[in-house]
Amino acid sequence: SSQNLSEEFAEAARQLKKEAPRIQFGKIDVTHQHDLRKEFHIQEFPTVKFFVDGSREDPIDCKGVRQASAFITWVKRRTGPSTVLINSTDQAEAIIHADNLAVIGFFKELHNDSVEVFCETARDVPEMPFGMTASKDVCANYGIQKNTLVVFKKGKPVHNEVLEDGRQNKLDLTRLIKTFTLDLVTEYNLETSVKIFDVPVENHILLFTPKNSETFNAIYENYQSAAVEFRGKILFVLVDTDETRNGRVFEYFRIRDIDVPAVRILNLTSDAKYKMPADEVTAENVKEFCQSYLKGKAKLHLSSEEIPEDWDKRPVKVLVGKSFNRIVF
């Protein structure tokens, strides 16, 4: 909530006052400052912007940061080096084991486009430590031969991304790395919904199924095995249809009891919804659905209410999606 974020923001200000007194924190209530709201195109609340070198032009947006510690890291990485330079395996191990997640860039040399993209990405992901190395010994210790970004979770490598000059951009890497703050498949509930929307992946796939059914384990395994391939491109979500608090989600997708198990893809930017053409939730069917969606070949799903029995009784006719074309045209 805004209140929560406001408190974390204030806590970050308190801590940075001692460490970096040059960085000033301020708060504006734009309900009374219409000119400022217009000037800086404030659309949603709360919005955090970072002004550099006393310039009012082009402030940097600080998005998806919620904890005081992440605010502090975000600001430090904007005003100083964004990654730790690693010269020994001991140093690498210390970073890898310090936190739940860590990202290390292994490079042949520290002056190329890939290094620049890596450092830019580190600025936008303050939730985890970033380190980089060009030490042959350190690269050899982890069996790395090419320029590679490795994500470590609980001290173990969980993802290797080979970095080629010009192939990856900052946004792709940011999306990929931020997905590791979630599980491979994230169950939707009040707590996780905030985290799901904090990860900047605009394509979400949702599996609607009751968790207490006999077929749940098999269906879930199939769904999860398809998720590995699309990490960073499509976010995999599970919605338990036995949970009454999820009612609004079912309504939004127009999911009925007879539809489950159901699989849908949602594009957050366009709000477009897509229905998996196959009925069975197999790993193959889910993969095929995701691939056809990413290639732009999936068919839009225009869900519709049932046609009301009394639609024709009054002078103003009641239309729904199913009957619209037939009656209007």
Side-chain angles (χ1 to χ4, degrees), residues 225-240:
S225 71
V228 183
E229 200 178 307
F230 301 98
R231 192 143 215 170
K233 296 183 182 81
I234 301 176
L235 210 57
F236 276 62
V237 178
L238 166 71
V239 184
D240 182 4

Side-chain angles (χ1 to χ4, degrees), residues 48-204:
V48 178
K49 287 183 182 280
F50 186 49
F51 293 83
V52 186
D53 296 332
S55 168
R56 208 175 168 120
E57 304 298 311
D58 300 324
I60 302 161
D61 275 322
C62 177
K63 285 182 179 168
V65 178
R66 290 176 185 274
Q67 263 87 35
S69 57
F71 268 122
I72 292 165
T73 305
W74 190 91
V75 169
K76 281 181 173 176
R77 287 183 187 175
R78 290 275 163 194
T79 53
S82 61
T83 63
V84 176
L85 190 58
I86 294 167
N87 295 313
S88 69
T89 302
D90 285 352
Q91 209 183 347
E93 283 295 297
I95 291 173
I96 290 162
H97 291 280
D99 230 317
N100 184 29
L101 285 160
V103 182
I104 309 286
F106 296 89
F107 298 99
K108 288 198 171 114
E109 38 128 27
L110 291 179
H111 303 286
N112 59 37
D113 290 352
S114 295
V115 173
E116 211 168 295
V117 171
F118 181 79
C119 292
E120 278 179 19
T121 305
R123 285 191 192 108
D124 281 351
V125 190
E127 298 91 339
M128 54 191 90
F130 274 66
M132 65 177 184
T133 187
S135 154
K136 282 180 183 169
D137 292 348
V138 177
C139 290
N141 184 66
Y142 294 96
I144 306 284
Q145 280 152 5
K146 295 177 175 176
N147 289 347
T148 306
L149 174 157
V150 182
V151 180
F152 291 86
K153 198 165 191 170
K154 293 180 179 150
K156 292 187 171 66
V158 286
H159 184 82
N160 282 32
E161 185 79 11
V162 175
L163 300 175
E164 292 171 18
D165 276 6
R167 200 186 78 171
Q168 286 94 350
N169 62 37
K170 180 188 76 166
L171 192 58
D172 289 341
L173 290 181
T174 303
R175 280 186 187 131
L176 176 72
I177 294 164
K178 282 214 177 195
T179 61
F180 287 94
T181 60
L182 297 171
D183 296 328
L184 192 55
V185 173
T186 306
E187 186 179 344
Y188 181 88
N189 56 40
L190 285 173
E191 205 177 287
T192 61
S193 65
V194 175
K195 294 177 184 172
I196 288 168
F197 290 109
D198 271 350
V199 173
V201 176
E202 65 170 2
N203 306 311
H204 290 187

Side-chain angles (χ1 to χ4, degrees), residues 206-223:
L206 301 98
L207 166 64
F208 295 86
T209 189
K211 277 178 78 180
N212 68 0
S213 74
E214 289 171 18
T215 54
F216 174 74
N217 286 345
I219 285 173
Y220 183 76
E221 265 177 43
N222 292 341
Y223 187 63

